[in-house]
Every structure is written in structure tokens, then in C-alpha cells.
Amino acid sequence: MRWISILLGLSGTGAVGFFAVREIIMYPMYFFELVLGGLTRGSIYALIALGYTMVYGIIQLINFAHGEIYMIGAMTALIVATVLGMWGWNTAVIVILAFVFAIVYSCAYGFTVEKIAYKPLRNAPRLSALISAIGMSLFLQNYVMLAQTPDYLPFESLIPDFQFWEPFAHIITSVEITIIITTVIVMILLGLLIKFTRIGKAMRATAQDKVMAALLGINVNNVISATFVVGSATAAIGGVLIACHVGQINFYIGFLAGLKAFIAAVLGGIGSIPGAVLGSLVLGISESFFTGYFWSEYEDVFAFAILVLILIFRPSGILGRHDTQKV
Amino acid sequence: MPIKQQLKQSLIIAFWFMILTFPIMVIKVNTIQNIIVFRWFNLLWVGILTFFASLVWNYFLRRTEAGKKKDFEDDTPLIHRLLQNDRFRRPFLGLVAAFFIAYPFIFPMYHTSIMISALVYVMLGLGLNIVVGLAGLLDLGYVAFYAVGAYAYALLNLHFGLSFWVVLPLSALLGTLFGVLLGYPVLRLRGDYLAIVTLGFGEIIRIVLENWDEFSNGPRGIADIPAPTFFGHQFNQDNTMIYIYFIVIALVLMTIFFVHRLENSKIGRAWIALRDDEIACQAMGIDKFKTKLTAFALGATWAAMGGVIFAAKTSYINPMSFTIWESITILCVVVIGGMGSAIGVIAGALVLILLPEYLRAVAEYRMLVFGALQVIVMVFKPDGLIKSVRKVYTFKTSQEPQQEKIAHGTHT
Amino acid sequence: MEPILNVKNLTMKFGGLKALDDVSIAIEKGQIAALIGPNGAGKTTFFNCITGIYDPSMGDVQITPPGKSTQSLRGLKPNYVTERGVARTFQNIRLFHGMTVLENVMIGRHCRLSSGIIKAMLRPPSQREEEKKAVYDSYEILEKIGLDKYVNEMAVNLSYGAQRRLEIARAMATEPFLLLLDEPAAGMNPKETKELDDLILWLRDNENLTILLIEHDMKLVMSLSDRIHVVDYGKKIAEGNPQEIKANPEVIKAYLGEESDDA
């Protein structure tokens, strides 16, 4: 098994390397565009993947409803922006309020979902919690569909085309660069939060050993709630940004985006925050190449194929720890 | 907790939900025509509903927690107690049989058609029950095997003119084969990873069917799939429906029969033990991987046969019939009906599939309710509506070794 | 004669940590051998390496079943190890909770039954016979272990001591020639421990078993064992009969260095 994986890895890298070099020499601009497109895509994945990886790190649950939280973030921003726009508010205020509402509401939903669907199942078999999570995802999707509309809603970008960016706009648009920069800022803030704050330390302690953390006086329930809230906040930012980028949203966008982000988290090593970011960028860029050079209609197949290969050959992901079964 | 405090708590919860659902429930935006509608009444409804819901929720939550402390008690579901009682069993089963035999002759064709769909779900549910309920493997790509069966019939008929009766057993083999092929790489994975990977495989098969035009005719699908014949005789439309109905009934009976036998055999015991404790299982000499693979492949066998029936009944298939939501619907049938329980799965399929068909008003809310039910069942009644009652091997202390057929124990 | 279990230079690394470091242990046929050592010395890891739950980093595990030639267990999956006649119990009881006592033992019969899927669906006479026999054989084992009065109870409802005995019964059902017991007396009262003592001797004498046990109850170890192997920090520090071990300064040092629950 190990030799097969090494062989596959080497030949794969070789083939890709050869192809990449040829392409870079022949069409450098196209290659560059694909890299930037992949970075943008990867940044969004990273914002969502963080929620998956943090929750998994703490309660070992695939929070299936996480993609829906992201969708609700985007939907809330759309609603707030439209209403305020009709009332003729100042654009800058609208942008700020849309982001604030999206984040606050996503956090509230993430918090509530945990309290309803996961907290009562904390000591139940993992399968039960996972089924509950799938149910929650189904519920939230249909809730938004029924309360709003099943159709796509055009979403007017909240991010204007910056004047100063004009000279570079043909390479990478204002929206795209905003996405990348925002992601970098969010990652840094999150890193600081986890490394230095009280709650961050409590999170790390809880992730390592729930029982011990509780004995040391950490309120584990609060830490878990905080994890959901933080994960939801980053997902909401991702949701609003992607809506600006794509220009339309509906109740269903969370499902696929959530899955892709989950794949990215697994790719990087689930439970590891740097892993989630790295996995997202790798997935984003390789997807971008795949659709750019090969078949765009098989984009999702490609992502799933990566997931299957990773799980079979290196289940702990790129940066994940190899965990040994306890007997 | 005193009642006053409970009411206060529920009021706070209701208020929280009113705020929480405010943007999505109250404001409806249409960014195409730039219309905003405020639906203030929704806010009221949300408040009232969540107030009572939280009262009920907390009541049951407390009861469940209190229940956990109690020892094992006889909570065998009523239907099992009836079936165990010899005086009731025969008349009861007779009545059920009479109802199902008379059904297509009493009710108009439309109802027969719906009942066929429900019965196909019974088959699918019983098949998935092997995988999820008995072996404890969460398979979210089950619909892939359903698609394999449906497309096998459509394509083999289109290209080679093979008839229903040839394809049906063939599809069972094909389903098993696909089960082994897909299961082989993924069944080494841990439970929750397995769920995601099977979901991925299910989607891959659907996307391939959608995009590989030369093979599957893409999103346009395949039309004019012939109905089954009776020794070469083709019935008229109404009679064909009745004919298919009885074929499904026969297949469901066959499924129940075989699944029951499998469950109470060496392999069935191994599945249940594997769900309980994988490491102890291996220490007992059970091949973890092979046992999982048989469960996965056998589940696929029934899904593929269900697919053939589906194709023959609708005479038209396209990839849209095989989305992830189909997998989740089948999963709901198993989970809500009662994991591991054949009667639960049958009841689950009939209720979950028939009810939305007849209550058109609620059909829209079907998936919403399914989702909510999944959460509620997992939180309050993890065994589903009808808890599984396994035949427990017991030993009579007489001279002759024998198995007693009476079930009195339950498993979780 | 070849030893029935011959573990050669076994090393197990977890990352940088050596849980087992070059441990060699040989056990003769018909012995009752004990593996002792302070908590965390690597005893359970040793069992896990033999039974295939871990794949050791270095070294070899060889068995010589009675009347058969020597073979290596290294790299075999746990179920194949069981099939070859090495059965074990677990330190933290791992019974199938949703099942009756009888059914737990029947799971143990699994690898000695031959009917496959097709036979299970068609139930020819051979399969029916086999199933009947499985129930009967399982009952017989329970009788031997002294659990026959609980035969139709749910496994969870048994007392702690009885659960430990059921683990032994379940392991017996796999027809082993070598039985590995991981702390069989943990949590037992003195009376239960005495009964366990008798049971282990009886198993050795009447079932032709060789037994290797991990145990903290020194009284039990000293009275039962023909040979004792001591490990500390993953290394084997001593081997000998109970008298030799009691007098061994290395062993005394290892035990006095830490808290221990021995006598």
C-alpha cells in the first residue's frame, strides 16, 4: 500500500510537473489567471473549512449543517443590503451593516443548531450525531427555501471596483483581491485568538482532553458553543464574499460549498487549523487547473476523487496527526 | 423545575427564535423585481410555535434523561407483542395480506401507482437497513446502486433488447458487483469518513450519468422503457400497473424473507457485533473488512433490483431521479422507521412516502419535516418509531439443544 | 521442543516513544505465564502486538500450535491471529452489550462455523445443523466456565466478575491453544478472585491451554504462575519463577519506584 502510494504520488507529480512547465511556457497569462482563480476559490473554502475543522477537533463531529450556516450568512447579507438599499442608505454603511448582520446571524444560527441538534447527543454514538446533523442541514435548506424562494436571487456586489486597482483589474478583479486579503486577515486574527486569548487556550485544552479540561474548571459547554460561533462567523464572511463574487445565491449554495470545504479540511488534516487553510488552497488551485485545462463539467467529480484518494492513502491528511486506536 | 420558571424559560427561547428568524421569515426580498414584502404575521407564528415547542422539547428532554437511569424494562413495541401472540398473529397477518391483495382491485390505478412507489421504498429501506441498521455503516450514496439497476434495465433493453425478467436477476448481480467495487476502497475508512465518501461516490455516478451523453443520453434520460411481460404477454396499461404491483409485493416478501434469514445467521450476528465493538469483533476471529463488504454489497443488491422496478414502472428515467436527496429520503425511512427493524422500515416507508403523496398541502414541507424528524428521532427516540426486536438466541435447559423462537430481548 | 509462543526482539514505537523495546519472551506448552510490571510499562501494548491490533515496528512473533509447525503472526490481522488459535480478553471489558450471554459466546464460535451467505439465505439442513450445534457448543462452554445459569441474561446485566468470566468464555469459544488474559482479576472481590484462580488452573489442566496473563494482583500471580516475566518502561527486566522474581532487586526497584496495588 505504501509503495503504491509513493509510486502514484511520484508519477502523478511528474506528469503534472511536466504538463505545468509546458503550459507555463506556452500560455503564461492563462496559467497565472488559473492560479489566482484557484487562490480566490481556495480562500473561500478556507473560510468555511475552518468551522468544520474546529468543530471536528473539539467534538469529533462532521457538522453537516455548516454549509447551511454559510448560506444563511449570504442570505442575511442579501436581505439586509436590499432593504437598506431600497431605503436609500449610504453604500458604505450598507456594506458594513450587511457584513455585521451576516456574521451576527450566522453565529446565532450556529449556536442554536449546536444547542438543539448536537448537545443532547454529546454522549450518543457518533452515527446518531451525524444523522442529526444531516437532518439539521436538510431542515435549514428547506426553511430558507420555503421562507424565501427556490430561485436564484441576483446579488449586487457589495464590494465596489476600486479606482486604485484599475491597472491590475484585468488580471484579478477588486472582488477577488478583497477575498484573498480578507481571508488572510481573518486567518491571522483567528490564529491570534486561538494562540493568546483565554477562550482560545480553553479551546485547545478541550480539543485535547474534554474530561481533563472540565476537571480544570473549563466550562466545556461554553467552549463548544464558542467554537461553533467562531466557525460560523468565518463561514458567514465567506458566504458574503462568495455571493459578491458569483453575483447570485439561493438556498442550495451551502450544500456543495460545504462539501468542498469539508474535503479541503480532510485534505489538510481534519482538526488542524493550518491544515484546513493549506488543504483549501491546494484544493482550490488544483480544481482551478482541472477545470481550466480539462473538463469543467467534471469539477465536482474531481474534488470527490481527491477526497477518496486522500482518505485511502493518507487518512490523516497533509498536516494531520496519525492517531492510533486505543484499546 | 417549577412551572413558572419553565414558562419563563420558554418565553425567552421564543423571543430568541423571533429574533433569529426575523430576516428570513419576515422580510421577503425579490432582487429581480426589487420588491420587499414584510410578513409580520410570521413573527407571531414563530413566537407562538417555538414557545410551545420549547415547552414540549424540554419536557421530553427531561423525561429522556430520567429514563436513561432506569434499568432495562420491557419496552417491546405493541406490534411485536401482537405478532408474538399466536392468537393475534394469524388474523392480523391474514388481514394485512387480504388488504394488500385486494388493494389494486379496490382502488383506482393512481393509488396503485403510488403504492408501488412506496413498496419500492420498502425494498430500498430493507436493503439499506442491512448496511445502516445492522452493520452500522452510514451509506449516503445508496442511490448510486438504485441508479445502477434502473440504468441497467434501460440500457440493456435499449441496446440488446433484454427483457425485464432477464435484467432483474442480472441487475441483482450487477448491484452486488458495484457494491463490492465501491465498497472495496472505502470500507477501510472510519464511520463518519465513510458517510462522506459514499456521498461523494453517489454524486460522482450521478454527474457521470448527466455528462456522459454517449452512454446514458445525458440529462435527457431514456424513454420508452418497456413494462414487464407475463410469459411474453403484454398487458394493457391498467393491468400492467397491477402486474407490477404484484411483482413488487413478491419482491418485498422475498426481501423480508431473505433479510430475516441473513439477520439470524452467522453473518447477521457478525454484523450486529461489528456495530457494537469492532475490536472485540476482530478478536473473535471476525474479518472486519469482509463482513462490512458483504453488508455493503448485499444492500446494493436490493437497491439495484428496486431500480429495475422503478424504471419499468415509470418507463422513463433521467439522472435527476438519483440525487443525494433520494439517498437521504431512503435513510430517513430507515432511521425514522427504526434502524435494524424490518417492521419499522416498512412502516417508515409507507408513512413517509404515502403521506406526502396524499396530503398535497404538506408535500412542499416534506423535506423540512424529514429534516426535523431526523433530529427529533435521534435526540428522543434513537431506536426509531418501531424499535427493532431481534430474535434472541436462547437456550432451553432440556436434554435436546434447540433454539427458541420467542424474542424477549432487545438490542440497542 | 519449540516454545508455543516465541516473541523475539519485539519493539513498538509510537512516534518517538518506544512503548516496547526489544522484548523477547518464550512460553512453553502447558505453562501459566504472567507478564507483570508497573502501570504504563507496555504490557497491554505487548498483547496488542501479538494479537495483530498493532503492527510491531521490529521483531517477530512466532507460534507453534500443538502438532503443527512454527509460524509467524507478524503482520496478520487480529481475526487471523484468532483463527490460528490465539485468543484474548480485554482489560476494559469489551462485551457485546446488546446481546445475551449465550449470543456473546456464539460470536466467539464465528470463525469455526463454515456456512456462508448463500447457505444463510437458503438454510439447507447442513446450515440448520451447524446453527443448532453452535448454540449447544456455546452452552457447553458456559457450563464449563460456570456461567450457565445466566445463559439467557443480557450481558450488561451481569456482575463485573461474571462479565470478566464471560470474556474468558467468549475467548474459549474460538478454540484457542493459547489464551491471553489482560487483567482478568481487575475489579473482582476476593471470592471471585479465588474462583478465577481455580478456573485458570482448570483451563490449563483440562482444556490443554497455555495461558499468558497480565495481572496486578500479586497474590494471584505468585500462586498461579509457573513463570513470570517483568517489564518496565517497555524493557524486559527480569524473568523467572515466583521465588526468583520476589527476590530480584531490579523488580523490587521497579515496583518501589512507583505506586502499585500489589500485595
Side-chain angles (χ1 to χ4, degrees):
Chain A
M1 203 70 164
R2 182 185 296 162
W3 282 109
I4 297 173
S5 66
I6 291 174
L7 218 69
L8 272 178
L10 280 181
S11 54
T13 325
V16 171
F18 172 76
F19 185 79
V21 169
R22 207 194 65 182
E23 282 298 318
I24 294 169
I25 293 166
M26 288 172 75
Y27 312 101
M29 270 323 281
Y30 186 54
F31 177 81
F32 195 56
E33 270 171 39
L34 289 181
V35 172
L36 287 174
L39 274 180
T40 315
R41 197 191 269 255
S43 301
I44 299 289
Y45 290 160
L47 288 170
I48 310 171
L50 281 173
Y52 277 114
T53 225
M54 287 169 67
V55 166
Y56 196 93
I58 284 196
I59 54 172
Q60 282 78 47
L61 166 78
I62 298 175
N63 180 11
F64 223 87
H66 189 59
E68 270 49 70
I69 301 293
Y70 149 93
M71 176 268 294
I72 284 173
M75 201 49 108
T76 311
L78 173 101
I79 291 169
V80 170
T82 314
V83 171
L84 297 184
M86 297 268 282
W87 290 351
W89 286 35
N90 176 303
T91 322
V93 178
I94 291 180
V95 172
I96 292 168
L97 280 182
F99 266 95
V100 167
F101 269 94
I103 292 170
V104 168
Y105 267 95
S106 285
C107 291
Y109 272 94
F111 174 85
T112 314
V113 163
E114 195 270 330
K115 286 278 178 264
I116 293 176
Y118 308 145
K119 190 167 168 248
L121 292 168
R122 193 102 7 110
N123 298 318
R126 273 157 80 158
L127 206 63
S128 306
L130 188 58
I131 292 173
S132 179
I134 294 169
M136 205 67 221
S137 161
L138 198 60
F139 180 85
L140 287 176
Q141 265 182 35
N142 282 276
Y143 153 71
V144 173
M145 182 190 84
L146 292 167
Q148 294 291 324
T149 164
D151 304 320
Y152 267 102
L153 290 168
F155 190 106
E156 209 171 305
S157 177
L158 294 168
I159 302 153
D161 291 327
F162 303 120
Q163 289 290 309
F164 66 90
W165 193 254
E166 202 53 49
F168 314 103
H170 63 285
I171 307 171
I172 176 167
T173 63
S174 303
V175 177
E176 285 168 331
I177 195 71
T178 313
I179 289 176
I180 295 173
I181 291 172
T182 315
T183 308
V184 172
I185 294 171
V186 170
M187 294 303 148
I188 292 171
L189 287 179
L190 189 76
L192 294 177
L193 175 93
I194 293 201
K195 194 113 199 178
F196 297 112
T197 62
R198 243 180 101 80
I199 187 76
K201 284 177 189 161
M203 276 178 190
R204 280 184 289 151
T206 312
Q208 279 209 339
D209 191 334
K210 263 205 285 284
V211 179
M212 197 61 212
L215 286 175
L216 291 174
I218 294 172
N219 186 334
V220 174
N221 280 334
N222 287 356
V223 172
I224 292 173
S225 291
T227 311
F228 273 86
V229 166
V230 173
S232 303
T234 60
I237 297 171
V240 183
L241 290 174
I242 193 72
C244 295
H245 185 46
V246 178
Q248 57 174 7
I249 58 169
N250 76 348
F251 71 96
Y252 196 58
I253 57 165
F255 178 68
L256 203 60
L259 266 181
K260 294 279 186 68
F262 175 75
I263 293 173
V266 172
L267 183 62
I270 196 140
S272 149
I273 290 176
V277 179
L278 185 67
S280 302
L281 295 181
V282 170
L283 183 70
I285 292 174
S286 47
E287 260 191 357
S288 173
F289 284 157
F290 184 81
T291 51
Y293 289 126
F294 304 103
W295 312 278
S296 55
E297 63 267 42
Y298 287 109
E299 180 192 326
D300 303 336
V301 172
F302 174 74
F304 284 126
I306 283 196
L307 175 73
V308 173
L309 289 177
I310 280 283
L311 285 180
I312 291 169
F313 291 110
R314 197 179 154 76
S316 48
I318 303 174
L319 295 182
R321 280 170 301 150
H322 205 80
D323 52 358
T324 319
Q325 234 169 353
K326 277 224 175 96
V327 181
Chain B
M1 216 192 295
I3 196 90
K4 212 169 148 190
Q5 215 175 331
Q6 283 181 37
L7 289 175
K8 203 175 132 195
Q9 193 193 13
S10 285
L11 264 179
I12 295 169
I13 290 173
F15 187 63
W16 169 257
F17 272 97
M18 281 161 80
I19 298 174
L20 190 67
T21 55
F22 176 78
I24 288 171
M25 286 301 284
V26 173
I27 310 168
K28 182 169 183 165
V29 293
N30 185 332
T31 45
I32 302 169
Q33 294 158 319
N34 265 324
I35 304 170
I36 302 175
V37 187
F38 283 87
R39 302 163 294 182
W40 293 105
F41 261 114
N42 282 351
L43 201 60
L44 192 69
W45 287 123
V46 167
I48 294 169
L49 232 97
T50 47
F51 176 75
F52 288 109
S54 80
L55 276 180
V56 175
W57 179 276
N58 282 332
Y59 169 73
F60 278 109
L61 208 59
R62 274 195 303 275
R63 227 183 63 158
T64 318
E65 255 151 40
K68 270 179 200 152
K69 285 169 199 140
K70 268 185 255 159
D71 236 5
F72 274 91
E73 51 182 289
D74 188 27
D75 50 356
T76 310
L78 181 69
I79 177 123
H80 281 284
R81 263 181 274 172
L82 277 180
L83 284 176
Q84 279 161 25
N85 188 325
D86 278 332
R87 264 181 52 211
F88 285 105
R89 189 161 79 216
R90 281 170 185 235
F92 178 76
L93 289 181
L95 230 86
V96 171
F99 173 77
F100 276 102
I101 290 171
Y103 190 90
F105 303 109
I106 305 171
F107 296 103
M109 197 186 85
Y110 168 72
H111 297 279
T112 310
S113 162
I114 290 174
M115 188 52 109
I116 294 174
S117 308
L119 288 170
V120 169
Y121 275 95
V122 170
M123 254 178 90
L124 295 173
L126 287 169
L128 186 63
N129 189 33
I130 299 177
V131 187
V132 180
L134 296 179
L137 306 165
L138 188 54
D139 179 1
L140 294 181
Y142 193 62
V143 76
F145 307 120
Y146 186 47
V148 165
Y151 270 89
Y153 180 40
L155 291 172
L156 288 175
N157 185 274
L158 189 70
H159 297 305
F160 305 105
L162 295 187
S163 77
F164 176 86
W165 290 110
V166 177
V167 178
L168 190 65
L170 219 60
S171 76
L173 289 178
L174 215 60
T176 317
L177 183 72
F178 264 77
V180 171
L181 283 180
L182 292 193
Y184 195 80
V186 303
L187 283 172
R188 290 167 210 280
L189 301 176
R190 255 196 353 240
D192 36 7
Y193 281 173
L194 179 77
I196 298 288
V197 170
T198 48
L199 190 160
F201 264 131
E203 284 292 277
I204 287 176
I205 288 200
R206 185 185 60 80
I207 296 169
V208 168
L209 285 175
E210 233 165 50
N211 290 297
W212 193 3
D213 262 12
E214 304 79 47
F215 174 73
S216 66
N217 215 13
R220 288 183 306 283
I222 301 167
D224 296 329
I225 303 165
T229 54
F230 185 69
F231 294 109
H233 173 73
Q234 187 84 50
F235 293 108
N236 67 25
Q237 210 185 3
D238 278 24
N239 286 342
T240 298
M241 208 45 97
I242 296 175
Y243 182 45
I244 295 177
Y245 174 85
F246 282 109
I247 293 174
V248 186
I249 291 272
L251 280 174
V252 166
L253 287 177
M254 188 192 84
T255 312
I256 296 172
F257 180 75
F258 282 134
V259 171
H260 179 75
R261 285 191 154 190
L262 280 170
E263 197 183 335
N264 297 310
S265 72
K266 171 186 146 174
I267 187 83
R269 288 194 298 270
W271 287 335
I272 296 165
L274 200 64
R275 195 187 55 188
D276 260 16
D277 189 330
E278 286 195 0
I279 287 175
C281 229
Q282 284 181 294
M284 294 297 105
I286 292 170
D287 190 326
K288 179 170 91 172
F289 181 66
K290 222 170 90 185
T291 307
K292 282 183 179 177
L293 197 62
T294 48
F296 203 71
L298 278 170
T301 310
W302 269 282
M305 288 200 283
V308 175
I309 306 268
F310 172 75
K313 183 207 152 203
T314 53
S315 83
Y316 168 74
I317 54 168
N318 74 353
M320 285 316 288
S321 308
F322 307 104
T323 58
I324 163 80
W325 305 113
E326 204 64 26
S327 287
I328 289 185
T329 306
I330 305 167
L331 182 69
C332 283
V333 163
V334 176
V335 169
I336 296 169
M339 273 194 269
S341 147
I343 296 180
V345 170
I346 295 168
L350 294 180
V351 171
L352 292 187
I353 307 303
L354 290 182
L355 224 55
E357 290 288 348
Y358 287 112
L359 299 171
R360 277 284 161 206
V362 299
E364 250 191 294
Y365 297 94
R366 191 171 90 150
M367 284 316 221
L368 186 85
V369 173
F370 278 13
L373 273 179
Q374 262 184 318
V375 177
I376 292 169
V377 165
M378 280 302 117
V379 173
F380 296 112
K381 225 173 171 330
D383 299 316
L385 293 178
I386 298 177
K387 187 176 168 157
S388 87
V389 172
R390 194 162 45 88
K391 183 184 100 183
V392 170
Y393 291 85
T394 51
F395 190 81
K396 273 191 182 167
T397 36
S398 59
Q399 294 89 343
E400 278 295 304
Q402 51 185 278
Q403 278 167 243
E404 206 179 1
K405 283 260 173 185
I406 294 169
H408 71 257
T410 54
H411 70 114
T412 44
Chain C
M1 209 180 94
E2 281 289 318
I4 207 158
L5 173 72
N6 197 358
V7 180
K8 292 176 180 166
N9 310 97
L10 197 69
T11 299
M12 181 73 212
K13 287 185 213 161
F14 295 109
L17 178 87
K18 274 187 183 172
L20 288 174
D21 189 359
D22 201 28
V23 177
S24 298
I25 287 177
I27 292 166
E28 304 296 334
K29 184 171 184 311
Q31 259 185 1
I32 294 177
L35 182 64
I36 63 169
N39 286 326
K43 301 180 300 282
T44 298
T45 308
F46 184 77
F47 270 22
N48 287 344
C49 285
I50 296 177
T51 53
I53 292 174
Y54 296 154
D55 188 12
S57 317
M58 259 182 284
D60 198 8
V61 178
Q62 289 178 345
I63 52 165
T64 313
K68 288 186 194 152
S69 55
T70 305
Q71 48 187 299
S72 171
L73 292 182
R74 203 178 153 189
L76 286 185
K77 284 198 281 179
N79 51 303
Y80 293 121
V81 174
T82 309
E83 250 180 52
R84 288 191 181 31
V86 180
R88 71 172 291 178
T89 65
F90 293 92
Q91 184 182 352
N92 44 345
I93 301 171
R94 282 178 172 269
L95 290 171
F96 303 111
H97 294 287
M99 296 186 172
T100 64
V101 169
L102 181 75
E103 285 173 316
N104 264 282
V105 182
M106 281 177 78
I107 298 290
R109 295 297 304 158
H110 185 275
C111 61
R112 307 296 169 207
L113 305 178
S114 61
S115 303
I117 301 167
I118 305 291
K119 276 193 173 177
M121 291 206 281
L122 301 179
R123 285 201 185 162
S126 68
Q127 194 262 0
R128 285 161 195 262
E129 267 316 302
E130 197 183 66
E131 285 285 298
K132 264 188 193 171
K133 198 166 171 306
V135 174
Y136 189 68
D137 290 346
S138 304
Y139 182 73
E140 247 185 12
I141 292 164
L142 285 171
E143 251 181 342
K144 284 180 194 164
I145 307 287
L147 288 172
D148 47 321
K149 53 184 175 292
Y150 303 122
V151 60
N152 297 332
E153 289 286 331
M154 297 305 282
V156 269
N157 295 345
L158 295 190
S159 72
Y160 206 67
Q163 288 196 9
R164 289 226 175 264
R165 288 172 86 90
L166 178 54
E167 275 226 340
I168 296 176
R170 201 176 60 169
M172 288 298 297
T174 65
E175 297 177 10
F177 65 88
L178 173 65
L179 188 57
L180 309 177
L181 304 176
D182 198 343
E183 298 199 19
M188 282 188 174
N189 61 34
K191 183 169 161 277
E192 287 173 327
T193 310
K194 180 73 190 64
E195 284 167 2
L196 180 76
D197 191 324
D198 296 341
L199 175 67
I200 292 174
L201 283 173
W202 187 87
L203 284 174
R204 194 257 310 261
D205 297 337
N206 296 49
E207 298 285 316
N208 291 319
L209 276 173
T210 305
I211 292 162
L212 173 60
L213 57 107
I214 295 175
E215 190 47 70
H216 280 298
D217 186 334
M218 283 304 144
K219 223 171 98 199
L220 185 74
V221 170
M222 293 301 164
S223 75
L224 263 179
S225 317
D226 302 316
R227 200 141 188 93
I228 298 174
H229 305 260
V230 190
V231 287
D232 191 22
Y233 292 110
K235 285 199 171 84
K236 184 165 146 181
I237 56 169
E239 179 187 340
N241 62 34
Q243 268 64 42
E244 290 164 0
I245 294 297
K246 270 185 198 162
N248 189 314
E250 286 258 13
V251 178
I252 295 166
K253 204 177 109 196
Y255 270 91
L256 288 182
E258 317 194 10
E259 283 277 317
S260 60
D261 49 351
D262 52 319

